[in-house]
Amino acid sequence: MEPIVYQVDAFWDNDASVWVATSNDVPGLATEADTIEGLSQKLRDLIPDLLLLNHVIAADYAGAIAVQLTSHRQELIQVAS
C-alpha cells in the first residue's frame, strides 16, 4: 500500500523575511522559518504530531509519512541599462 502524499505549500513572506508553510491536507499546519531548510526540519517534527492530534493517523502508526513541499518565491531583479 502506497503512503498518502500530504501536500504542503510554502511561500516567502517578504515583509517578515520568513518562509511560511500551510496545508489543506494537514489540519492546523501553519509555521514559519528563516530558511527553507529550517522550514523542512520543522515540518518533519510538526506534521506527524498534527496528524496524530487530528486523528488522521492512529497513535500506534508505524511507517512513513510522505510530504510534498512546494515552495514559491518571487523576486524583482533590477537590470541596469
mmCIF file of all heavy atoms in Angstrom, residues 11-37:
data_model
loop_
_atom_site.group_PDB
_atom_site.id
_atom_site.type_symbol
_atom_site.label_atom_id
_atom_site.label_comp_id
_atom_site.label_asym_id
_atom_site.label_seq_id
_atom_site.Cartn_x
_atom_site.Cartn_y
_atom_site.Cartn_z
ATOM 1 N N PHE A 11 5.664 29.627 0.993
ATOM 2 C CA PHE A 11 5.938 30.850 0.227
ATOM 3 C C PHE A 11 6.812 31.768 1.057
ATOM 4 O O PHE A 11 6.825 31.699 2.288
ATOM 5 C CB PHE A 11 4.638 31.556 -0.177
ATOM 6 C CG PHE A 11 3.865 32.136 0.974
ATOM 7 C CD1 PHE A 11 4.075 33.449 1.375
ATOM 8 C CD2 PHE A 11 2.934 31.376 1.658
ATOM 9 C CE1 PHE A 11 3.377 33.977 2.442
ATOM 10 C CE2 PHE A 11 2.223 31.897 2.724
ATOM 11 C CZ PHE A 11 2.454 33.207 3.124
ATOM 12 N N TRP A 12 7.554 32.605 0.364
ATOM 13 C CA TRP A 12 8.435 33.556 1.016
ATOM 14 C C TRP A 12 7.637 34.805 1.350
ATOM 15 O O TRP A 12 7.044 35.433 0.470
ATOM 16 C CB TRP A 12 9.611 33.901 0.112
ATOM 17 C CG TRP A 12 10.530 34.918 0.699
ATOM 18 C CD1 TRP A 12 10.673 36.215 0.307
ATOM 19 C CD2 TRP A 12 11.436 34.716 1.785
ATOM 20 N NE1 TRP A 12 11.612 36.839 1.083
ATOM 21 C CE2 TRP A 12 12.094 35.941 2.005
ATOM 22 C CE3 TRP A 12 11.744 33.629 2.598
ATOM 23 C CZ2 TRP A 12 13.053 36.106 3.007
ATOM 24 C CZ3 TRP A 12 12.691 33.792 3.593
ATOM 25 C CH2 TRP A 12 13.337 35.009 3.779
ATOM 26 N N ASP A 13 7.581 35.157 2.636
ATOM 27 C CA ASP A 13 6.921 36.381 3.092
ATOM 28 C C ASP A 13 7.977 37.469 3.149
ATOM 29 O O ASP A 13 8.805 37.502 4.056
ATOM 30 C CB ASP A 13 6.289 36.155 4.464
ATOM 31 C CG ASP A 13 5.528 37.371 4.958
ATOM 32 O OD1 ASP A 13 5.867 38.512 4.571
ATOM 33 O OD2 ASP A 13 4.590 37.174 5.752
ATOM 34 N N ASN A 14 7.956 38.326 2.138
ATOM 35 C CA ASN A 14 8.964 39.373 2.012
ATOM 36 C C ASN A 14 8.935 40.335 3.194
ATOM 37 O O ASN A 14 9.979 40.786 3.645
ATOM 38 C CB ASN A 14 8.745 40.142 0.706
ATOM 39 C CG ASN A 14 10.003 40.288 -0.102
ATOM 40 O OD1 ASN A 14 11.029 39.708 0.222
ATOM 41 N ND2 ASN A 14 9.914 41.050 -1.162
ATOM 42 N N ASP A 15 7.753 40.676 3.681
ATOM 43 C CA ASP A 15 7.632 41.627 4.791
ATOM 44 C C ASP A 15 8.245 41.081 6.073
ATOM 45 O O ASP A 15 8.902 41.802 6.812
ATOM 46 C CB ASP A 15 6.161 41.989 5.030
ATOM 47 C CG ASP A 15 5.548 42.737 3.853
ATOM 48 O OD1 ASP A 15 6.302 43.424 3.118
ATOM 49 O OD2 ASP A 15 4.327 42.630 3.654
ATOM 50 N N ALA A 16 8.011 39.811 6.366
ATOM 51 C CA ALA A 16 8.522 39.197 7.590
ATOM 52 C C ALA A 16 9.888 38.530 7.389
ATOM 53 O O ALA A 16 10.520 38.128 8.355
ATOM 54 C CB ALA A 16 7.534 38.161 8.110
ATOM 55 N N SER A 17 10.315 38.383 6.139
ATOM 56 C CA SER A 17 11.578 37.713 5.784
ATOM 57 C C SER A 17 11.641 36.289 6.330
ATOM 58 O O SER A 17 12.634 35.872 6.935
ATOM 59 C CB SER A 17 12.780 38.514 6.264
ATOM 60 O OG SER A 17 12.838 39.756 5.600
ATOM 61 N N VAL A 18 10.551 35.534 6.098
ATOM 62 C CA VAL A 18 10.488 34.135 6.523
ATOM 63 C C VAL A 18 9.751 33.317 5.475
ATOM 64 O O VAL A 18 8.972 33.847 4.684
ATOM 65 C CB VAL A 18 9.769 33.958 7.885
ATOM 66 C CG1 VAL A 18 10.549 34.586 9.009
ATOM 67 C CG2 VAL A 18 8.346 34.490 7.834
ATOM 68 N N TRP A 19 10.016 32.006 5.489
ATOM 69 C CA TRP A 19 9.241 31.052 4.718
ATOM 70 C C TRP A 19 8.033 30.660 5.557
ATOM 71 O O TRP A 19 8.164 30.383 6.753
ATOM 72 C CB TRP A 19 10.062 29.809 4.394
ATOM 73 C CG TRP A 19 11.042 30.034 3.293
ATOM 74 C CD1 TRP A 19 12.368 30.337 3.421
ATOM 75 C CD2 TRP A 19 10.777 29.976 1.896
ATOM 76 N NE1 TRP A 19 12.944 30.474 2.182
ATOM 77 C CE2 TRP A 19 11.981 30.258 1.224
ATOM 78 C CE3 TRP A 19 9.634 29.723 1.144
ATOM 79 C CZ2 TRP A 19 12.083 30.287 -0.158
ATOM 80 C CZ3 TRP A 19 9.743 29.743 -0.236
ATOM 81 C CH2 TRP A 19 10.943 30.016 -0.871
ATOM 82 N N VAL A 20 6.851 30.626 4.954
ATOM 83 C CA VAL A 20 5.611 30.262 5.635
ATOM 84 C C VAL A 20 5.048 29.007 4.967
ATOM 85 O O VAL A 20 4.980 28.934 3.746
ATOM 86 C CB VAL A 20 4.575 31.409 5.540
ATOM 87 C CG1 VAL A 20 3.277 31.007 6.205
ATOM 88 C CG2 VAL A 20 5.138 32.687 6.150
ATOM 89 N N ALA A 21 4.665 28.028 5.786
ATOM 90 C CA ALA A 21 4.101 26.782 5.253
ATOM 91 C C ALA A 21 2.685 26.581 5.783
ATOM 92 O O ALA A 21 2.417 26.798 6.970
ATOM 93 C CB ALA A 21 4.961 25.593 5.651
ATOM 94 N N THR A 22 1.798 26.166 4.878
ATOM 95 C CA THR A 22 0.430 25.807 5.223
ATOM 96 C C THR A 22 0.051 24.575 4.409
ATOM 97 O O THR A 22 0.742 24.216 3.455
ATOM 98 C CB THR A 22 -0.565 26.948 4.916
ATOM 99 O OG1 THR A 22 -0.502 27.250 3.522
ATOM 100 C CG2 THR A 22 -0.257 28.198 5.724
ATOM 101 N N SER A 23 -1.070 23.956 4.798
ATOM 102 C CA SER A 23 -1.510 22.777 4.064
ATOM 103 C C SER A 23 -2.992 22.547 4.261
ATOM 104 O O SER A 23 -3.500 22.662 5.384
ATOM 105 C CB SER A 23 -0.751 21.540 4.557
ATOM 106 O OG SER A 23 -1.237 20.375 3.932
ATOM 107 N N ASN A 24 -3.674 22.213 3.183
ATOM 108 C CA ASN A 24 -5.069 21.787 3.272
ATOM 109 C C ASN A 24 -5.149 20.327 3.708
ATOM 110 O O ASN A 24 -6.191 19.880 4.177
ATOM 111 C CB ASN A 24 -5.777 21.960 1.929
ATOM 112 C CG ASN A 24 -5.974 23.407 1.561
ATOM 113 O OD1 ASN A 24 -6.112 24.270 2.417
ATOM 114 N ND2 ASN A 24 -5.963 23.694 0.267
ATOM 115 N N ASP A 25 -4.051 19.588 3.562
ATOM 116 C CA ASP A 25 -4.021 18.163 3.886
ATOM 117 C C ASP A 25 -3.673 17.883 5.349
ATOM 118 O O ASP A 25 -3.985 16.815 5.863
ATOM 119 C CB ASP A 25 -3.000 17.431 3.012
ATOM 120 C CG ASP A 25 -3.384 17.412 1.548
ATOM 121 O OD1 ASP A 25 -4.553 17.675 1.233
ATOM 122 O OD2 ASP A 25 -2.502 17.129 0.724
ATOM 123 N N VAL A 26 -2.983 18.818 5.987
ATOM 124 C CA VAL A 26 -2.547 18.633 7.379
ATOM 125 C C VAL A 26 -3.274 19.667 8.235
ATOM 126 O O VAL A 26 -2.897 20.841 8.253
ATOM 127 C CB VAL A 26 -1.017 18.796 7.523
ATOM 128 C CG1 VAL A 26 -0.571 18.559 8.956
ATOM 129 C CG2 VAL A 26 -0.277 17.869 6.566
ATOM 130 N N PRO A 27 -4.335 19.250 8.929
ATOM 131 C CA PRO A 27 -5.128 20.194 9.720
ATOM 132 C C PRO A 27 -4.284 20.950 10.740
ATOM 133 O O PRO A 27 -3.478 20.350 11.464
ATOM 134 C CB PRO A 27 -6.156 19.306 10.432
ATOM 135 C CG PRO A 27 -6.207 18.056 9.628
ATOM 136 C CD PRO A 27 -4.836 17.879 9.050
ATOM 137 N N GLY A 28 -4.435 22.271 10.753
ATOM 138 C CA GLY A 28 -3.750 23.105 11.732
ATOM 139 C C GLY A 28 -2.339 23.501 11.382
ATOM 140 O O GLY A 28 -1.682 24.203 12.160
ATOM 141 N N LEU A 29 -1.845 23.094 10.225
ATOM 142 C CA LEU A 29 -0.465 23.407 9.885
ATOM 143 C C LEU A 29 -0.327 24.860 9.449
ATOM 144 O O LEU A 29 -0.927 25.294 8.469
ATOM 145 C CB LEU A 29 0.063 22.495 8.770
ATOM 146 C CG LEU A 29 1.505 22.788 8.339
ATOM 147 C CD1 LEU A 29 2.474 22.536 9.486
ATOM 148 C CD2 LEU A 29 1.891 21.963 7.134
ATOM 149 N N ALA A 30 0.463 25.593 10.200
ATOM 150 C CA ALA A 30 0.858 26.964 9.867
ATOM 151 C C ALA A 30 2.130 27.226 10.654
ATOM 152 O O ALA A 30 2.111 27.282 11.883
ATOM 153 C CB ALA A 30 -0.224 27.963 10.236
ATOM 154 N N THR A 31 3.239 27.333 9.949
ATOM 155 C CA THR A 31 4.516 27.541 10.619
ATOM 156 C C THR A 31 5.428 28.354 9.715
ATOM 157 O O THR A 31 5.141 28.525 8.531
ATOM 158 C CB THR A 31 5.171 26.194 11.017
ATOM 159 O OG1 THR A 31 6.274 26.457 11.889
ATOM 160 C CG2 THR A 31 5.626 25.402 9.804
ATOM 161 N N GLU A 32 6.512 28.839 10.288
ATOM 162 C CA GLU A 32 7.447 29.650 9.506
ATOM 163 C C GLU A 32 8.867 29.388 9.974
ATOM 164 O O GLU A 32 9.091 28.894 11.076
ATOM 165 C CB GLU A 32 7.110 31.127 9.639
ATOM 166 C CG GLU A 32 7.180 31.645 11.053
ATOM 167 C CD GLU A 32 6.700 33.074 11.187
ATOM 168 O OE1 GLU A 32 5.712 33.448 10.557
ATOM 169 O OE2 GLU A 32 7.349 33.810 11.957
ATOM 170 N N ALA A 33 9.821 29.752 9.107
ATOM 171 C CA ALA A 33 11.246 29.613 9.417
ATOM 172 C C ALA A 33 12.035 30.563 8.522
ATOM 173 O O ALA A 33 11.561 30.971 7.460
ATOM 174 C CB ALA A 33 11.711 28.178 9.219
ATOM 175 N N ASP A 34 13.244 30.870 8.960
ATOM 176 C CA ASP A 34 14.106 31.795 8.220
ATOM 177 C C ASP A 34 14.613 31.226 6.904
ATOM 178 O O ASP A 34 14.890 31.973 5.971
ATOM 179 C CB ASP A 34 15.311 32.202 9.076
ATOM 180 C CG ASP A 34 14.903 33.024 10.292
ATOM 181 O OD1 ASP A 34 13.825 33.643 10.274
ATOM 182 O OD2 ASP A 34 15.672 33.031 11.268
ATOM 183 N N THR A 35 14.792 29.905 6.853
ATOM 184 C CA THR A 35 15.311 29.264 5.648
ATOM 185 C C THR A 35 14.387 28.119 5.238
ATOM 186 O O THR A 35 13.630 27.590 6.062
ATOM 187 C CB THR A 35 16.727 28.674 5.878
ATOM 188 O OG1 THR A 35 16.633 27.621 6.846
ATOM 189 C CG2 THR A 35 17.708 29.751 6.348
ATOM 190 N N ILE A 36 14.467 27.719 3.975
ATOM 191 C CA ILE A 36 13.650 26.599 3.500
ATOM 192 C C ILE A 36 14.109 25.304 4.173
ATOM 193 O O ILE A 36 13.299 24.426 4.464
ATOM 194 C CB ILE A 36 13.667 26.500 1.952
ATOM 195 C CG1 ILE A 36 12.518 25.628 1.449
ATOM 196 C CG2 ILE A 36 14.996 26.044 1.438
ATOM 197 C CD1 ILE A 36 11.160 26.223 1.564
ATOM 198 N N GLU A 37 15.405 25.190 4.466
ATOM 199 C CA GLU A 37 15.916 24.012 5.157
ATOM 200 C C GLU A 37 15.375 23.955 6.588
ATOM 201 O O GLU A 37 14.984 22.889 7.069
ATOM 202 C CB GLU A 37 17.450 24.007 5.165
ATOM 203 C CG GLU A 37 18.081 23.844 3.808
ATOM 204 C CD GLU A 37 18.142 25.153 3.001
ATOM 205 O OE1 GLU A 37 17.856 26.245 3.560
ATOM 206 O OE2 GLU A 37 18.458 25.073 1.803
#
